[in-house]
Amino acid sequence: MNKQEFINAVNKFDTHTDAETRIAQYFMQHYAVLPFAKIDELCKQIGVGKATLGRFLQRLGFSGFIDFKKEVTEDLTQTLTIPIERYEHQTNNDNPDDIHGLLISHYREVKDNVEKTFDALSEQDFERAIDIMCQPRGKLYVMGSASSEALANYFFLLARYLRKEVIFLKGDISTLPHQLVDVTKEDTLFAISYHRYSSVTVKLVRWFHECGGQIITLTDQPVNPFVPYSDVQFMVESEGKGYFNNRAAGFALIEALIKGLSLQQEKDNRFQRIEGLFEEFSIFKS
């Protein structure tokens, strides 16, 4: 069942309860990532019970949520999220490419994503994330694959100024075990992953959870494979009209996290030592 078939089936209902309306609206808004959903978290997000969701899906002809998820195919979850598909979509669009007004259009896109993200963020979650990242015991691991790797590396470089034992995990599956051999329950993982979720990052988050470590995730969909394992999860908007999604809101949140980390004590010596190393190796030209 694709999204349009789902909409058509719901529209054939003679009546809708308030709960069914909420379910249908939520499904239509997040249809592409429903294959990653866990039923408990999904019901929590919508504000309905599992029995209510089950009855709704039975009205659609499914035995339950697992049966429904089987019908939401992998092709559907990737609709217009792969750059080549975006390219083909825009190539077949009647509107020709036009650079006029592109700069202001992109600015508005960035502004809209950042505003939506920060309006929805929880101050309590943000403060908790900072507390976890500032724990004096344990290491802080950082991971991001594909486009998320740039955000993870940016966070890593600045966080190294602010605390000891920040470790940047490479997404190479053949060397990842060597990087994780010393993980303990006192460690923290900061994982960044956008839809389409990297299978390596998903496995890493799950494994880190099994080790008892604390997990902070940054992603762009409320329904995702990290929900059951995250101690704190941040949702950032990433809508983009070009071939690629927009990562500006993710960068903005990372900079806020760095500012939060900078409030901790005992960073002066690290700054001085890093700057001394820059001079020792003639990194920058004055």
Side-chain angles (χ1 to χ4, degrees):
M1 173 179 277
N2 61 37
K3 185 175 181 180
Q4 189 56 55
E5 290 171 340
F6 169 79
I7 294 171
N8 293 341
V10 172
N11 287 337
K12 291 179 181 179
F13 287 4
D14 294 331
T15 59
H16 301 81
T17 66
D18 290 341
E20 288 175 336
T21 299
R22 291 202 305 276
I23 294 170
Q25 290 175 344
Y26 190 92
F27 274 32
M28 284 186 284
Q29 185 177 359
H30 304 289
Y31 202 79
V33 292
L34 288 176
F36 303 105
K38 299 289 190 295
I39 189 168
D40 289 339
E41 184 62 28
L42 187 64
C43 290
K44 181 180 177 182
Q45 292 276 349
I46 302 172
V48 299
K50 287 192 285 187
T52 301
L53 178 60
R55 286 192 295 270
F56 172 80
L57 293 173
Q58 286 170 6
R59 290 189 71 183
L60 291 173
F62 298 97
S63 61
F65 186 57
I66 293 177
D67 186 30
F68 172 76
K69 286 207 297 184
K70 288 179 181 178
E71 294 290 326
V72 185
T73 65
E74 182 65 23
D75 287 339
L76 173 62
T77 69
Q78 298 177 4
T79 301
L80 295 183
T81 61
I82 304 173
I84 186 61
E85 291 177 336
R86 286 172 173 255
Y87 170 78
E88 292 171 351
H89 173 74
Q90 293 192 15
T91 300
N92 294 329
N93 197 307
D94 293 333
N95 296 325
D97 294 336
D98 186 2
I99 200 168
H100 179 70
L102 178 61
L103 193 59
I104 188 64
S105 174
H106 180 69
Y107 164 74
R108 288 171 179 164
E109 179 180 284
V110 168
K111 183 171 178 287
D112 187 50
N113 280 340
V114 171
E115 285 183 347
K116 286 181 179 178
T117 294
F118 279 79
D119 285 346
L121 285 176
S122 161
E123 189 75 27
Q124 184 178 2
D125 284 346
F126 180 77
E127 292 175 0
R128 187 180 178 205
I130 296 300
D131 288 342
I132 293 173
M133 288 180 173
C134 288
Q135 289 179 4
R137 300 177 65 181
K139 301 175 287 294
L140 174 57
Y141 290 85
V142 187
M143 172 71 172
S145 296
S147 63
S148 300
E149 184 176 3
L151 282 80
N153 193 34
Y154 181 67
F155 175 87
F156 163 75
L157 289 174
L158 299 185
R160 286 291 293 162
Y161 277 95
L162 304 171
R163 61 155 288 167
K164 298 178 181 179
E165 295 192 287
V166 184
I167 299 171
F168 181 65
L169 295 173
K170 295 289 187 180
D172 182 356
I173 193 67
S174 65
T175 61
L176 199 56
H178 301 80
Q179 303 174 70
L180 298 173
V181 66
D182 295 320
V183 167
T184 73
K185 63 181 180 181
E186 294 179 343
D187 296 331
T188 298
L189 172 66
F190 179 33
I192 306 170
S193 185
Y194 290 78
H195 179 252
R196 302 172 290 163
Y197 308 110
S198 161
S199 61
V200 176
T201 307
V202 173
K203 290 176 181 177
L204 171 64
V205 168
R206 191 178 299 141
W207 181 85
F208 212 91
H209 174 76
E210 291 173 357
C211 290
Q214 296 190 89
I215 299 167
I216 301 166
T217 54
L218 187 158
T219 186
D220 63 340
Q221 298 286 344
V223 178
N224 60 71
F226 311 114
V227 169
Y229 312 110
S230 300
D231 295 281
V232 180
Q233 184 165 107
F234 295 111
M235 240 70 67
V236 296
E237 293 289 333
S238 63
E239 289 298 318
K241 296 180 181 178
Y243 296 157
F244 307 99
N245 283 327
N246 192 298
R247 301 295 187 243
F251 268 110
L253 177 57
I254 283 172
E255 290 185 326
L257 291 168
I258 290 296
K259 285 184 178 180
L261 272 174
S262 70
L263 298 178
Q264 68 173 333
Q265 303 299 315
E266 301 179 0
K267 57 181 175 292
D268 291 342
N269 289 339
R270 294 188 64 78
F271 268 87
Q272 292 171 5
R273 192 166 189 183
I274 290 175
E275 290 299 325
L277 287 166
F278 286 155
E279 293 180 9
E280 180 71 24
F281 290 93
S282 304
I283 302 298
F284 300 113
K285 295 293 184 181
S286 57

